[in-house]
Amino acid sequence: MVMKTYIVGNWKLNFTVGEASIYLHKLLKALPNYRDTEVVVAPSTIALQPLSLQVDRHKMKLAVQNAFYRDYGAFTGETSFSQLRGLADYAIIGHSERRYIFREDDKMVAKKVAAAIRNKITPILCIGETESERAFGETADVIRDQLIGGLSEVSDDDLDKVIVAYEPVWAISSTKAAKIATPDEIAEVVKLIRKNLADTYGEKHSEQVPVLFGGSVNPSNAGAYLTVPGVNGLLIGGASLILSEFTDIIETAKRVRA
Ligand code: PGA
């Protein structure tokens, strides 16, 4: 089975509902029906409901950036994955901004991954080391802990419902001194991710997991990142806010696969 290429735009805390709707309208107009490329955008939660009525799911899908792991109850201010069922097809979980600004640990990430699967939403589990963890030679440990910790509530049979995104924190453009990751640096960590998955779940299950890369992806580096062995797609922040850059990256994905 040929794996799809995933191009996921993480809009973070940007765009009003109206702006998001206009962007989506233009994106849908620009997008032909790419069978092998799964295009996804993650708007703010408040925009998901109207956008879910507007989106053409033959062309692209929607993701939620975050939700709570309990389905209902006394959790003031939260939105549950069960409420998002049918609105979002994917969920970004464990993004470094959630881990470091909102103090989410691997246990919470694991519960969110399980809640997404339980509600038929595909989790995109984000993992990645900080600059100092890399400098201290801790990358392999951090990757293993975040990966295996984040998947700790996922059964072998459900592993094919999960996507993993490698996002080195030092390469994300929202960090103060974002650097660009080289294809070799990415290849090395993606190999580690696949080895950890194979060791824990077996070769057969681990091969089914798409692994994305994210961190300062733009139209000029997307092609190189998409050809890194073991990479099945991209998670894009800043460049996904600019329609022409996002569609450029989608075109690149199509070209790289051809
Ligand atoms: P960036 O963000 O592309 O702006 O670096 C990526 C992300 O945080 O997912």
Side-chain angles (χ1 to χ4, degrees):
M1 197 187 78
V2 183
M3 204 182 273
K4 285 180 189 171
T5 301
Y6 293 82
I7 301 296
V8 184
N10 176 9
W11 289 352
K12 306 190 181 183
L13 185 48
N14 293 291
F15 293 156
T16 63
V17 175
E19 286 164 349
S21 172
I22 291 168
Y23 183 114
L24 192 74
H25 175 77
K26 290 183 184 161
L27 178 61
L28 285 168
K29 243 169 104 181
L31 272 186
N33 221 326
Y34 293 137
R35 219 158 22 101
D36 297 330
T37 309
E38 181 85 326
V39 177
V40 182
V41 294
S44 294
T45 306
I46 193 173
L48 271 171
Q49 211 275 335
L51 264 49
S52 76
L53 300 175
Q54 185 186 343
V55 74
D56 174 353
R57 285 193 160 80
H58 295 294
K59 285 191 172 180
M60 57 167 295
K61 303 282 190 339
L62 298 174
V64 65
Q65 298 174 20
N66 175 50
F68 192 54
Y69 59 82
R70 294 283 291 269
D71 286 347
Y72 56 86
F75 304 103
T76 302
E78 293 296 324
T79 304
S80 68
F81 287 99
S82 60
Q83 291 172 319
L84 293 159
R85 194 173 177 148
L87 302 186
D89 296 284
Y90 295 89
I92 298 171
I93 300 178
H95 190 281
S96 57
E97 286 149 21
R98 302 284 331 158
R99 290 178 190 269
Y100 298 109
I101 303 172
F102 299 99
R103 306 258 165 253
E104 291 191 11
D105 59 11
D106 290 329
K107 263 203 184 126
M108 175 166 289
V109 170
K111 285 184 180 153
K112 291 187 174 191
V113 167
I117 294 176
R118 183 168 77 237
N119 287 294
K120 309 260 178 291
I121 295 171
T122 302
I124 302 173
L125 169 63
C126 301
I127 58 174
E129 80 287 0
T130 62
E131 188 170 21
S132 68
E133 286 164 345
R134 174 164 279 259
F136 284 110
E138 294 166 1
T139 301
D141 288 345
V142 172
I143 292 299
R144 190 197 52 233
D145 290 353
Q146 291 186 356
L147 179 68
I148 304 307
L151 295 176
S152 60
E153 297 193 23
V154 177
S155 66
D156 293 14
D157 288 341
D158 277 345
L159 193 67
D160 63 352
K161 301 189 175 85
V162 170
I163 295 175
V164 172
Y166 171 50
E167 293 209 304
V169 182
W170 48 269
I172 293 178
S173 53
S174 59
T175 62
K176 268 186 230 122
K179 295 183 186 135
I180 299 288
T182 66
D184 284 350
E185 286 169 331
I186 299 165
E188 205 178 304
V189 177
V190 169
K191 221 164 127 185
L192 264 173
I193 291 172
R194 295 216 173 268
K195 182 173 181 326
N196 276 301
L197 288 173
D199 289 350
T200 311
Y201 292 93
E203 199 82 42
K204 194 183 105 222
H205 287 299
S206 76
E207 278 169 6
Q208 301 167 340
V209 178
V211 177
L212 318 186
F213 171 73
S216 301
V217 175
N218 61 42
S220 37
N221 60 24
Y225 288 157
L226 282 168
T227 46
V228 171
V231 167
N232 308 107
L234 302 169
L235 180 53
I236 305 144
S240 75
L241 297 173
I242 303 159
L243 183 67
S244 59
E245 297 204 359
F246 194 53
T247 52
D248 248 28
I249 295 170
I250 296 164
E251 282 293 334
T252 302
K254 201 179 123 221
R255 212 172 37 246
V256 165
R257 286 192 68 100

